Amino acid sequence: MHTNGNSPLLRPGRFRTLCLPLLFLFQLMFIPLCTAMADPGEIWVLVDTRELTLTVMEGESVIQKYDNIAIGSNGPTLAKLVSDETTPLGDFHISGINQRSRYHLFLALDYPTMEHARRALEDGRLSPEEYTAVSNAWLASEPPPQNTRLGGHLGIHGLGGGSEEVHGIVNWTDGCIAVTNEQIEELSHWVGVGTRVSVR
């Protein structure tokens, strides 16, 4: 059957509407597969937001554990929004390292992940256009956009010139995970770009 450029099936808006569910289904099939294929000997980081600990793991064995870390001043969440000062829960990877950070050393996380984007699209926190931007970055193996309604610029960092005393008694970050300068230096010897970070 011959169709012309005026066919409603070829309109850009309709094309996007049809493709978004297919992309969504593809990602649902692929993401669990990645999680299931975790290497038992991998070096990874476990952040416990209840106990306020950060543990370097090798498979299921503890290599190093840091107590009394700090997280977002409004606690952990599964539904983060920009500027809400919460720390998102989930599985991430270190996407970059800034050795000139004002927080001494900054290990950037690849937030928002596709899991965060999927959940946010379902509950209305993320627009279809923003979801597509996150998805396109994920498919291209690039860091996700940091300017969506879900916020960004999150990672693990030190104190810089901040007070170690204050750090020891209160959750003070905007959503990041903070340790002391000495601890972030030590942590950087265990991890690198691509290291998995599980925030629970």
Side-chain angles (χ1 to χ4, degrees), residues 73-90:
S73 56
N74 286 324
T77 186
L78 284 171
K80 182 172 177 59
L81 286 169
V82 65
S83 302
D84 68 0
E85 298 183 352
T86 63
T87 297
L89 300 170

Side-chain angles (χ1 to χ4, degrees), residues 137-160:
W138 177 75
L139 290 171
S141 299
E142 296 175 350
Q146 301 294 286
N147 59 349
T148 71
R149 282 178 254 178
L150 303 186
H153 305 290
L154 299 177
I156 306 170
H157 60 68
L159 303 181

